[in-house]
């Protein structure tokens, strides 16, 4: 959308534009496309799991292949689908919501994306190179350290690279929200989605280093002969479990909090009321983030931490229900007495409330350490975390996409198709997972590739698989919706929902520089404040002047490519020492690109104010 | 314009003086850190009782780190509120992690 | 940003935070250090859990000698002070003195790194104590090696920006770069304070 590409519209030019872009809006689109792609792959894996379990002792896939599918389903959905889709929304919206022209580190923003993508590609390359990881998405040692082949090595290197990208993205959003806010945008005037992004970025900052270390130790054990988790050398596999969950539990809050943010934007907009209890919502968000770091051992109740540790972690876990409950009630009170308009975004948001509450309730059940000995590693757990992750995060992503689609692409997604998607997916979801609570209580263990006939599990599994097909139908309809809307949809105004927050104060399409003049924020729901005073747009905080913008760069792509190459070298050097060459070449490329970045001045460029009037940069 | 530059210059001179005084403090801080290090090494070399030495050297290390953060890295200055929050966030998680590995790992 | 705004007639007293880019770098780097704290805590935790798992190999009491560690500590502590001096001169806009003090910092860092390499060499050749001998060995080399890797990266970083800016002097574009490099160097020292206390001193008691 920049001036240069408006003139050269060839495929090569567009491709180059996206490879080098540092524009947060385009990076958001890149995250959306690649996250969506991995979501489909993860969905295919889920379908394979459910088809295998449609009847007792099925042989649709082999036992070993089933392990690979279930491992990759979890890993892909968490790291390569849910997180990037959330980053897509954050990139598309957060700078606009705070009245900024870009993020604090546009270059690093691009680097974060390419690291994630190359990490994801590396992980998925394992399918074609002798088999995918098969030790579960938690990769518990010693199962993971002794897993034959290179599957788990791909898991380690892939997640290491994409994890670095996530950490970079987190720091970027933190600094953006602190330093780039428009005049008058105080912390307590930040829209809730921006607040959740802020808290989530802090969680990323403190949680991901634990994963980094865990993956390094696992890598050293598997590829370089160290003994961290090897009992024969005095190692201890509980170390991996702690490191993984010190990261892993905050990770689930990293996923859910932005979804909470989305609902806190959608509900007020379509209820035509301001968010009930804004301050309490902010406080609850921070508190959930804080408590999220003190509960990781509830994943390890059956490890044998002892009654004292189990009790502490059980109580801390139950405490999280309090701020979450505050949020649920605030959403309900936001709806209370509102002038509610039902559309696709709203349907996802409304259905989220009861669905997530169910997941929260089973969460409290699981938090009771003594009872958890019964639930542990059964389908009850599977049902619980799908209720919170699908019912919370995926519903949130769908709501956010419907809500912000006109901001990202200038068109409203087709409502009829949107509603078909919602109802098929919603019904399919509950069919799939509600019954799994009972399968779990009847004792069906998770991660088993077959179950026996006549144990009372047949009907439940059959229903579950039918539900999964409905979810697949819903997803396909959504894809059709995207195609139909892109080709036939009509361009809408910059503010199609009569919005409340700053991102709706911008014309459609969004200019390259977002805001011609930085807006002056005069209250919570900045645009709504102006609307109630009869104005149609924001009051500018500065005179019209030249706009400083960052330069595009191919270096982030090259740096990530280097690590991708080095990743293969690390994996295969254990078979053949000459693969170390790939490590040196790859690291050389990455360090070389870092060196170039360090010594070459990048001062950005200016869009002159004379050109702004002519509509440059649209 | 000249007057303006002059006042800027005066302000800079003031800052310069302040920085000079601060630099003196930094040197004193450094001297203390060296002393603490020598105390820690000497106590260990003298072979005193374990239960006595370990808490003391850990406390000395913590004090040294506080010196580094607050004086050498200027966390005591204005404009370091958010860095302080994030460092304390990191330190809290770090504390929990280390505590876990000390008490919740066994054989 | 035009040439003039980066080279003002009178340098402000905090050149590292005079531009928005500088403020962003400053804050972003501090946040990064917050994350690094957790990274090293995970490594320390692992080390503490495994430090007695010597698997029949040499124990920490047999391995560690305090003399070398004391010298290394002094080198790194002093390099922390010299980098404070470098930043002092940066704020006074005295580029030449800043480069000199940074040069001393680099020299001290190189000395530290040299001793560390000697130390590892000594353990491997005289005690056959390696990364693969035991869980203790793995944890020791990983923790201390991660720190050594940070030292190496810091040295390369400081040398790069010193060489890059040697001819053009200080401006508002490179001042933040020097400043965050020095923050990184202090953080390396912070980690070392815990390493010499937790690994070496507690290892020989």
């Amino acid at each position: 959308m920049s001036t240069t590409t408006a003139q050269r519209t060839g495929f090569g030019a567009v491709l180059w534009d996206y490879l080098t872009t540092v524009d947060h809006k385009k990076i958001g689109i890149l995250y959306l496309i690649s996250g969506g792609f991995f979501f489909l792959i993860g969905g295919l894996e889920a379908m394979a799991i459910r088809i295998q379990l449609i009847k007792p002792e099925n042989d649709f896939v082999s036992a070993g292949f089933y392990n690979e599918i279930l491992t990759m389903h979890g890993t892909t959905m968490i790291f390569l689908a849910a997180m990037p889709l959330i980053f897509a929304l954050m990139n598309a919206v957060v700078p606009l919501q705070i009245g900024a022209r870009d993020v604090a580190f546009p270059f690093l923003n691009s680097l974060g994306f390419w690291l994630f993508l190359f990490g994801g590609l590396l992980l998925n390359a394992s399918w074609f190179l002798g088999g995918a990881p098969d030790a579960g998405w938690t990769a518990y040692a010693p199962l993971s350290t002794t897993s034959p082949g290179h599957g788990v090595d791909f898991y380690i290197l892939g997640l290491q690279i994409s994890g670095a990208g996530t950490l970079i993205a987190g720091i970027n959003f933190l600094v953006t929200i602190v330093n780039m806010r428009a005049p008058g945008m105080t912390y307590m005037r930040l829209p809730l989605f921006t607040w959740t992004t802020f808290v989530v970025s802090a969680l990323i900052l403190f949680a991901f280093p634990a994963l980094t270390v865990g993956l390094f130790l696992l890598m050293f054990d598997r590829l370089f002969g160290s003994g961290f988790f090897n009992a024969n050398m005095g190692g201890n596999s509980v170390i991996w479990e702690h490191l993984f969950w010190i990261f892993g539990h905050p990770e689930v809050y990293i996923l859910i909090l932005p979804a909470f943010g989305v609902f806190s934007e959608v509900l007020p907009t379509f209820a035509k009321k301001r968010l009930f209890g804004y301050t309490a919502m902010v406080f609850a968000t921070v508190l959930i983030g804080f408590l999220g770091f003190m509960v990781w051992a509830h994943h390890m109740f059956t490890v044998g931490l002892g009654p004292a540790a189990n009790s502490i972690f059980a109580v801390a876990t139950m405490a999280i229900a309090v701020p979450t409950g505050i949020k649920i009630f605030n959403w309900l009170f936001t709806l209370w007495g509102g002038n509610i308009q039902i559309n696709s975004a709203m349907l996802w948001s409304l259905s989220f409330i009861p669905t997530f509450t169910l997941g929260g309730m089973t969460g409290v059940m699981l938090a009771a350490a003594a009872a958890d000995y019964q639930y542990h590693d059964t389908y009850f757990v599977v049902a619980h975390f799908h209720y919170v992750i699908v019912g919370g995060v995926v519903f949130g992503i769908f709501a956010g996409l419907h809500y912000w689609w006109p901001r990202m692409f200038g068109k409203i997604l087709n409502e009829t198709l949107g509603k078909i998607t919602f109802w098929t997916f919603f019904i399919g979801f509950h069919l799939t997972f509600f019954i799994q609570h009972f399968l779990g209580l009847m004792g069906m263990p998770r991660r088993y590739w077959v179950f026996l006939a006549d144990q009372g599990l047949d009907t439940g599994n059959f229903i579950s698989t039918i539900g999964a097909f409905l979810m697949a139908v819903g997803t396909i309809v959504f894809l059709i919706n995207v195609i139909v809307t892109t080709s036939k949809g009509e361009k809408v105004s910059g503010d199609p929902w009569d919005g409340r927050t700053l991102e709706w104060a911008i014309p459609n399409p969004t200019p390259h520089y977002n805001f011609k003049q930085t807006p002056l924020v005069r209250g919570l729901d900045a645009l709504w404040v102006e609307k109630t005073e009869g104005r149609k747009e924001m009051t500018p905080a500065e005179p019209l002047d030249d706009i400083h913008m960052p330069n595009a760069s191919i270096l982030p792509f090259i740096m990530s490519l280097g690590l991708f190459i080095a990743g293969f070298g690390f994996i295969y050097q254990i078979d053949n020492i000459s693969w170390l060459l790939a490590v040196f070449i790859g690291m050389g490329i990455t360090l070389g690109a870092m060196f170039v970045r360090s010594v070459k001045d990048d001062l950005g460029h200016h869009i002159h104010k004379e050109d702004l009037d002519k509509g440059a940069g649209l | 314009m000249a007057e303006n530059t002059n006042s800027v210059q005066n302000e800079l001179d003031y800052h310069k003086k302040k920085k000079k005084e601060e630099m003196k403090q930094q040197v004193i801080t450094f001297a203390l850190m060296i002393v603490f290090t020598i105390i820690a090494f000497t106590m260990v070399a003298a072979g005193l009782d374990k239960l006595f030495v370990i808490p003391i050297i850990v406390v000395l290390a913590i004090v040294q780190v506080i010196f580094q953060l607050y004086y050498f890295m200027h966390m005591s200055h204005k404009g370091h509120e958010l860095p302080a929050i994030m460092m304390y966030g990191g330190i809290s998680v770090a504390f929990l992690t280390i505590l876990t590995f000390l008490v919740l790992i066994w054989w | 940003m035009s040439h003039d705004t980066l080279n003002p007639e009178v340098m402000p007293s905090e050149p590292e935070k005079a531009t928005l880019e500088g403020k962003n770098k400053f804050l972003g780097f501090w946040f990064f250090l917050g994350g690094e704290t957790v990274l090293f805590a995970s490594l320390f935790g692992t080390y503490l859990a495994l430090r007695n798992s010597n698997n029949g190999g040499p124990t920490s009491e047999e391995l560690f000698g305090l003399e070398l560690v004391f010298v290394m500590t002094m080198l790194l502590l002093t390099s922390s002070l010299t980098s404070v001096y470098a930043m002092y001169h940066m704020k006074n806009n005295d580029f030449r003195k800043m480069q000199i003090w940074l040069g001393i910092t680099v020299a001290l860092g190189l000395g530290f790194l040299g001793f560390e390499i000697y130390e590892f060499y000594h353990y491997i050749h005289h005690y056959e104590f390696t990364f693969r001998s035991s869980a203790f060995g793995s944890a020791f080399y990983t923790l201390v090696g991660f720190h050594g890797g940070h030292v190496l990266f810091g040295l390369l970083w400081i040398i790069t920006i010193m060489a890059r800016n040697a001819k053009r002097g200080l401006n508002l574009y490179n001042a933040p770069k020097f400043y965050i490099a020095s923050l990184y160097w202090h953080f390396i020292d912070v980690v070392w304070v815990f390493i010499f206390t937790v690994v070496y001193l507690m290892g020989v008691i």
Side-chain angles (χ1 to χ4, degrees):
Chain A
M1 268 184 263
S2 77
T3 36
T4 41
T5 45
Q7 287 144 16
R8 303 175 290 140
T9 46
F11 176 73
V14 174
L15 183 69
W16 182 254
D17 184 34
Y18 273 89
L19 286 178
T20 60
T21 188
V22 292
D23 179 358
H24 69 95
K25 297 179 286 296
K26 287 181 186 166
I27 291 173
I29 292 171
L30 287 172
Y31 268 120
L32 179 62
I33 294 170
S34 28
F37 170 72
F38 286 122
F39 182 77
L40 293 180
I41 293 183
L44 280 178
E45 286 149 7
M47 292 315 293
I49 293 174
R50 279 319 319 168
I51 293 171
Q52 166 65 19
L53 295 178
I54 195 170
K55 62 176 190 191
E57 294 186 84
N58 200 359
D59 57 355
F60 178 69
V61 291
S62 71
F65 192 57
Y66 185 83
N67 287 347
E68 295 177 22
I69 294 171
L70 79 87
T71 301
M72 286 298 281
H73 167 69
T75 314
T76 305
M77 283 304 196
I78 295 279
F79 291 100
L80 308 180
M83 297 225 30
L85 288 172
I86 281 164
F87 277 134
L89 294 178
M90 288 179 181
N91 265 297
V93 176
V94 167
L96 305 180
Q97 280 196 333
I98 61 173
R101 295 212 165 99
D102 210 322
V103 292
F105 304 111
F107 181 91
L108 289 184
N109 200 13
S110 160
L111 179 61
F113 167 74
W114 291 110
L115 284 173
F116 140 70
L117 183 64
F118 276 109
L121 292 176
L122 183 66
L123 178 54
N124 274 283
S126 60
W127 287 117
F128 310 103
L129 297 167
D134 56 0
W137 88 281
T138 53
Y140 272 12
L143 183 63
S144 54
T145 48
T146 50
S147 163
H150 282 302
V152 177
D153 302 329
F154 279 100
Y155 169 95
I156 295 166
L157 269 302
L159 289 192
Q160 193 68 280
I161 293 172
S162 72
T166 308
L167 185 64
I168 288 171
I171 293 177
N172 183 21
F173 278 113
L174 279 174
V175 180
T176 303
I177 294 170
V178 174
N179 272 357
M180 309 289 278
R181 285 169 290 133
M185 181 61 91
T186 57
Y187 283 106
M188 289 317 275
R189 286 177 183 175
L190 289 176
L192 238 275
F193 184 66
T194 302
W195 252 116
T196 52
T197 302
F198 186 76
V199 173
V200 158
S201 302
L203 294 187
I204 289 175
L205 177 63
F206 298 136
F208 267 74
L211 178 71
T212 306
V213 169
L215 289 173
F216 266 123
L217 304 188
L218 198 54
M219 170 175 152
F220 292 160
D221 265 18
R222 278 185 64 91
L223 298 172
F224 297 100
S226 64
F228 293 101
F229 310 127
N230 183 348
N232 290 336
M233 289 166 72
N236 187 332
S237 56
V238 180
I239 290 174
W240 165 265
E241 292 188 30
H242 275 300
L243 284 176
F244 185 83
W245 287 117
I246 287 173
F247 146 77
H249 197 79
E251 167 71 15
V252 302
Y253 292 101
I254 292 168
L255 294 175
I256 194 64
L257 283 176
F260 287 176
V262 172
F263 301 125
S264 306
E265 301 290 321
V266 172
L267 292 172
T269 304
F270 296 116
K272 284 275 169 293
K273 272 177 74 189
R274 63 172 279 180
L275 185 69
F276 188 91
Y278 172 85
T279 318
M281 287 297 245
V282 172
F283 177 72
T285 307
V286 175
L287 194 61
I288 292 175
F290 181 72
L291 289 173
F293 272 102
M294 314 198 170
V295 297
W296 77 86
H298 67 216
H299 298 269
M300 301 165 62
F301 280 151
T302 58
V303 167
L305 303 174
N310 275 6
S311 311
I312 293 170
F313 282 103
V315 171
T317 305
M318 292 178 194
I320 292 190
V322 177
T324 316
I326 291 174
K327 280 180 167 284
I328 296 280
F329 282 110
N330 278 334
W331 287 316
L332 293 175
F333 290 140
T334 304
L335 292 166
W336 186 275
N339 180 11
I340 297 173
Q341 179 195 346
I342 301 284
N343 55 26
S344 305
M346 200 58 175
L347 280 174
W348 288 110
S349 309
L350 290 174
S351 62
F352 150 81
I353 297 175
T355 309
F356 191 83
T357 307
L358 278 174
M361 201 191 69
T362 52
V364 178
M365 289 172 72
L366 286 161
D372 184 68
Y373 276 80
Q374 301 299 315
Y375 309 135
H376 190 83
D377 262 352
T378 68
Y379 265 77
F380 190 80
V381 178
V382 176
H384 159 72
F385 68 68
H386 281 93
Y387 260 80
V388 284
I389 293 183
V390 180
V393 184
V394 177
F395 283 22
I397 289 168
F398 273 121
L401 286 177
H402 275 280
Y403 181 59
W404 281 308
W405 204 266
R407 184 74 276 153
M408 293 174 80
F409 299 102
K411 293 169 178 178
I412 292 180
L413 283 169
N414 185 300
E415 269 300 310
T416 317
L417 291 173
K419 282 176 182 157
I420 295 174
T421 302
F422 169 75
W423 285 112
T424 45
F425 197 96
F426 178 73
I427 294 170
F429 165 75
H430 283 284
L431 274 183
T432 310
F433 293 109
F434 193 73
I435 196 83
Q436 290 186 1
H437 291 114
F438 302 103
L439 289 174
L441 291 177
M442 284 186 265
M444 179 168 165
R446 64 189 280 208
R447 289 175 170 167
Y448 279 33
W449 76 297
V450 286
F451 59 95
L452 291 176
D454 300 324
Q455 310 250 322
L457 305 174
D458 308 19
T459 320
N461 274 298
F462 182 73
I463 293 171
S464 188
T465 302
I466 299 302
F469 274 102
L470 273 178
M471 288 164 80
V473 171
T475 311
I476 291 166
V477 174
F478 185 79
L479 287 181
I480 295 170
N481 193 351
V482 170
I483 296 166
V484 169
T485 306
T486 309
S487 57
K488 289 193 184 151
E490 283 185 18
K491 202 185 137 188
V492 292
S493 77
D495 183 15
W497 310 122
D498 193 12
R500 312 174 71 85
T501 39
L502 261 183
E503 76 267 31
W504 304 111
I506 304 168
N508 179 19
T510 314
H512 170 51
Y513 44 79
N514 297 351
F515 295 91
K516 201 147 118 187
Q517 289 161 290
T518 304
L520 179 69
V521 176
R522 305 194 302 154
L524 180 64
D525 290 346
L527 183 58
W528 196 255
V529 170
E530 304 293 328
K531 281 179 180 173
T532 52
E533 296 184 8
R535 270 182 291 274
K536 287 209 171 93
E537 26 184 58
M538 298 300 296
T539 317
E542 57 172 17
L544 200 59
D545 203 353
D546 292 0
I547 292 176
H548 178 238
M549 295 301 290
N551 285 336
S553 171
I554 190 69
L555 287 175
F557 180 85
I558 296 176
M559 285 180 198
S560 313
L561 181 67
L563 286 180
F564 181 71
I565 295 168
F568 280 104
F570 277 117
I571 291 169
Y572 287 109
Q573 51 79 30
I574 196 164
D575 300 335
N576 187 338
I577 201 79
S578 55
W579 274 93
L580 276 179
L581 199 63
V583 173
F584 294 130
I585 292 172
M587 294 310 282
I589 292 172
T590 302
L591 288 172
M594 284 168 75
F595 180 76
V596 172
R597 173 67 185 168
S598 187
V599 299
K600 213 168 139 263
D601 285 1
D602 181 6
L603 300 173
H605 62 276
H606 279 86
I607 304 174
H608 294 290
K609 63 178 171 190
E610 295 78 22
D611 298 335
L612 285 177
D613 292 331
K614 292 178 214 148
L618 280 175
Chain B
M1 187 67 200
E3 215 171 81
N4 194 12
T5 325
N6 215 358
S7 73
V8 171
Q9 198 57 50
N10 282 339
E11 207 187 305
L12 278 181
D13 286 343
Y14 164 72
H15 279 298
K16 205 164 179 172
K17 218 169 156 189
K18 230 174 89 178
K19 273 179 266 182
K20 202 160 190 177
E21 269 165 34
E22 197 187 297
M23 198 60 229
K24 259 185 227 157
Q25 282 180 6
Q26 311 266 35
V27 177
I28 296 168
T29 310
F30 173 72
L32 282 174
M33 284 165 63
I34 296 288
V35 171
F36 288 168
T37 309
I38 293 172
I39 292 174
F41 273 88
T42 323
M43 280 177 69
V44 173
L48 298 174
D49 184 57
K50 207 172 171 169
L51 285 174
F52 174 65
V53 176
I54 288 181
I56 293 183
I57 58 175
V58 170
V59 169
L60 286 176
I62 291 171
V63 174
Q64 278 211 42
V65 165
I66 291 171
F67 281 173
Q68 282 272 357
L69 289 172
Y70 275 88
Y71 295 105
F72 283 12
M73 294 165 87
H74 309 294
M75 227 164 80
S76 55
H77 284 199
K78 255 196 290 181
H80 285 69
E81 295 80 10
L82 276 154
I85 289 175
M86 288 299 167
M87 279 313 281
Y88 282 120
I91 290 168
S92 319
V93 178
F95 175 75
L96 275 179
T97 307
I98 290 174
L99 188 69
T100 302
F101 283 90
L102 283 174
V103 299
L104 284 184
I105 304 254
W106 64 99
W107 307 94
Chain C
M1 205 157 287
S2 67
H3 200 65
D4 290 326
T5 50
L6 291 179
N7 289 297
E9 272 179 53
V10 185
M11 279 293 249
S13 73
E14 287 193 326
E16 76 278 6
K17 282 186 277 182
T19 62
L20 178 62
E21 284 76 9
K23 284 185 193 122
N24 287 345
K25 278 205 174 86
F26 168 80
L27 208 56
F29 200 77
W30 265 108
F31 292 174
F32 170 73
L33 292 182
E36 285 261 281
T37 307
V38 181
L39 184 121
F40 275 103
S42 305
L43 290 168
F44 271 108
T46 309
Y47 176 81
L48 285 169
L50 297 173
R51 68 195 181 115
N52 295 321
S53 306
N54 55 319
N55 197 26
T59 61
S60 55
E61 285 94 334
E62 291 160 19
L63 281 168
F64 301 151
L66 287 185
E67 300 82 0
L68 188 71
V69 180
F70 184 75
V71 175
M72 285 163 74
T73 306
M74 286 301 144
L75 285 177
L76 213 57
L77 280 182
T78 313
S79 82
S80 211
L81 181 75
T82 57
S83 101
V84 171
Y85 265 110
M87 288 308 107
Y88 170 68
H89 289 299
M90 181 188 88
K91 290 187 178 183
N92 286 337
N93 196 19
D94 190 336
F95 181 72
R96 203 182 57 84
K97 277 190 186 158
M98 181 189 83
Q99 291 277 75
I100 292 171
W101 282 109
L102 281 179
I104 299 172
T105 308
V106 168
L108 291 167
L110 281 173
F112 173 87
L113 209 56
F115 278 120
E116 184 151 273
I117 292 167
Y118 168 76
E119 184 201 357
F120 285 3
Y121 175 86
H122 181 71
Y123 293 156
I124 292 167
H125 285 267
H126 293 266
Y127 293 93
E128 290 181 352
F129 172 69
T130 70
F131 186 61
R132 298 176 185 185
S133 350
S134 62
F136 164 57
S138 306
F140 169 78
Y141 284 108
T142 303
L143 171 58
V144 182
F146 252 80
H147 177 264
H150 275 69
V151 173
L152 178 65
F153 186 83
L155 288 173
L156 292 175
W157 183 9
I158 295 176
I159 292 170
T160 305
I161 53 173
M162 279 175 72
R164 169 66 183 91
N165 298 299
K167 283 199 182 131
R168 69 172 170 182
L170 197 65
N171 61 32
L172 295 185
Y173 179 73
N174 59 28
K177 297 191 177 203
F178 282 110
Y179 190 80
I180 60 170
S182 98
L183 279 183
Y184 184 77
W185 195 256
H186 289 303
F187 185 78
I188 287 172
D189 208 20
V190 165
V191 175
W192 181 256
V193 168
F194 281 116
I195 289 186
F196 86 68
T197 305
V198 172
V199 177
Y200 292 100
L201 292 184
M202 279 163 65
V204 297
I205 291 178

